[in-house]
Every structure is written in structure tokens, then in C-alpha cells.
């Protein structure tokens, strides 16, 4: 699917249904005698969720997700498909406690509650670093290290992009959250535009923030 990025330029990206994996450099961190290696290219993840609008018996679920890694935007509808891609990445790069992939998520505490059961089943119990209850800064499942950019930036994705004057921006109010959506419902092109642009904006903001930090800004 060809997606138009929400920016002033005519920029498009092609989404994929599964990642094609290739070599990625790694960075050594920590003590020389006991180093931890990170893949140089981080990943960026976002999910879209819905619920049954029944306050007495509430049920919620993921109906759409997108993850960017190494220049590819992979999209899907079911959490088990996302876990499949994590497993492929985990095995291909031989991830573990000493070799990790960072996955940035904006508001990790929210997204994590929808995928932690499947992550736990596939990769075991996580190590959680939380500022306080329901404010997760880092959740690590072996070699998968999820980090919350919302807590790091202390801003919404749109506010963060405005502060950084980011060229790629979130598509605010593009979809109606009052509509109940299921993983097997047909989605519109606008639904995918919104989803993919959230991840593109997250990637853009994160790299701009890293660049500012290196410059001391």
C-alpha cells in the first residue's frame, strides 16, 4: 500500500505485510568486561485499539498496528501477526539479554497492556522500569527493549512534533474514535494513512530529539 506522508513535500512510503530482514550494525554499551549490544537501527511501533462501549462489561482489543524497522513499514491487524514479526527479528539477529533491539512506543503503558500477554507467552516475563504505577518507561522481554517516548518527551506526539518543527506530523482528528472497529473489519485508506503517519511522525520526532541532544540543544 502506498501511503502519503503528512508533510509539505510529496513523500510516499510503501507498506509491507512482513519484514525482509538484512544485516544491521550493532552498538556496544555498558562495561567493557560485560557489554550489552544494541542494534544500531531501532524500531518504532504503534497500535490502534477499540472497545465494545459496554461500561458494565468492557472489552478492548487491537484492530490495527504498524511497526517501522530498518526502513520498512510493516502493517497488520492481529496481535499474533505482530508477535510473529518480533519472533522473526529475535531469531534472525540472535537477540537476548546481551544483544537487544530498542522499540520506541509513544505511551508505552497504554499499548503494552494490549500486547503483554502475547509477549509474555512468546518471550517470557519482562523486566519493567516504571516511574510509578501505570507509567512504564521501559519494558524488556529478553532482547526486545520497549521504551516510552511519551514519558521521555513529556508531550503528546503532535505537541512534540510542533516543538521540534518536525517535517512529518501526526494526522490529528483524521479518524473517529467513537466507531467500533474489529481486526477483521475492512479499513479505509484514511485509517491506514493515520496509522502509518503516527509511526512516521514518531520516528521523525525521535531522531530529531536525538540530534538535538548530540548538539547540546
Amino acid at each position: 500500500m502506498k501511503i502519503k506522508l503528512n508533510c509539505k513535500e510529496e513523500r510516499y512510503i510503501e507498506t509491507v505485510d512482513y519484514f525482509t530482514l538484512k544485516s544491521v550494525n550493532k552498538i556496544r554499551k555498558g562495561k567493557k568486561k560485560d557489554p550489552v549490544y544494541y542494534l544500531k537501527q531501532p524500531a518504532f511501533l504503534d497500535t490502534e485499539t477499540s472497545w465494545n462501549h459496554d461500561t458494565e462489561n468492557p472489552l478492548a482489543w487491537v484492530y490495527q498496528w504498524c511497526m517501522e524497522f530498518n526502513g520498512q513499514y510493516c502493517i497488520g491487524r492481529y496481535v499474533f501477526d505482530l508477535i510473529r514479526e518480533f519472533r522473526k527479528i529475535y531469531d534472525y539477529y540472535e537477540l537476548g539479554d546481551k544483544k537487544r533491539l530498542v522499540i520506541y512506543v509513544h505511551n508505552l503503558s497504554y499499548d503494552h497492556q494490549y500486547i503483554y500477554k502475547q509477549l509474555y507467552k512468546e518471550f517470557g516475563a519482562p523486566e519493567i522500569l516504571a516511574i510509578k504505577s501505570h507509567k512504564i518507561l521501559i519494558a524488556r522481554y529478553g532482547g526486545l527493549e520497549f521504551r516510552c517516548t511519551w514519558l521521555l518527551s513529556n508531550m503528546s506526539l503532535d505537541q512534540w512534533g510542533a516543538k521540534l518543527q518536525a517535517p512529518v506530523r501526526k494526522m490529528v482528528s483524521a479518524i473517529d474514535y467513537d466507531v467500533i472497529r474489529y481486526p477483521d473489519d475492512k479499513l479505509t485508506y484514511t485509517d491506514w494513512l493515520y496509522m502509518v503517519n503516527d509511526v512516521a511522525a514518531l520516528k521523525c520526532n525521535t531522531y530529531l530529539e536525538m540530534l538535538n541532544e548530540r548538539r547540546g540543544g
Side-chain angles (χ1 to χ4, degrees), residues 85-100:
E85 295 304 312
F86 279 136
R87 172 49 71 186
K88 282 171 51 182
I89 291 170
Y90 206 99
D91 293 344
Y92 183 86
Y93 295 106
E94 299 178 325
L95 301 181
D97 289 341
K98 297 299 181 181
K99 189 178 181 184
R100 307 173 187 174

Side-chain angles (χ1 to χ4, degrees), residues 42-168:
F44 302 88
L45 172 68
D46 190 28
T47 66
E48 291 298 334
T49 63
S50 191
W51 71 297
N52 61 355
H53 293 195
D54 184 344
T55 55
E56 293 185 1
N57 298 288
L59 291 173
W61 54 86
V62 172
Y63 69 86
Q64 183 186 22
W65 59 266
C66 176
M67 184 166 76
E68 192 279 343
F69 174 58
N70 207 15
Q72 299 174 76
Y73 285 78
C74 186
I75 59 175
R77 305 298 305 278
Y78 296 91
V79 173
F80 62 76
D81 289 326
L82 175 61
I83 300 301
R84 176 201 65 206
E85 295 304 312
F86 279 136
R87 172 49 71 186
K88 282 171 51 182
I89 291 170
Y90 206 99
D91 293 344
Y92 183 86
Y93 295 106
E94 299 178 325
L95 301 181
D97 289 341
K98 297 299 181 181
K99 189 178 181 184
R100 307 173 187 174
L101 167 68
V102 172
I103 306 109
Y104 289 106
V105 184
H106 208 70
N107 198 354
L108 175 59
S109 300
Y110 180 83
D111 292 78
H112 184 255
Q113 66 182 318
Y114 290 92
I115 62 176
Y116 81 90
K117 288 183 179 179
Q118 293 89 339
L119 285 168
Y120 180 91
K121 182 178 179 181
E122 186 70 25
F123 300 104
E127 290 185 7
I128 301 290
L129 175 61
I131 297 175
K132 56 184 179 180
S133 180
H134 303 300
K135 286 191 179 291
I136 300 173
L137 183 61
I138 297 175
R140 184 170 70 84
Y141 293 81
L144 300 175
E145 188 171 301
F146 297 85
R147 297 184 185 180
C148 181
T149 53
W150 179 59
L151 290 178
L152 292 172
S153 65
N154 199 31
M155 282 176 275
S156 70
L157 189 60
D158 186 50
Q159 290 171 335
W160 193 20
K163 175 199 169 189
L164 296 169
Q165 297 182 332
V168 180

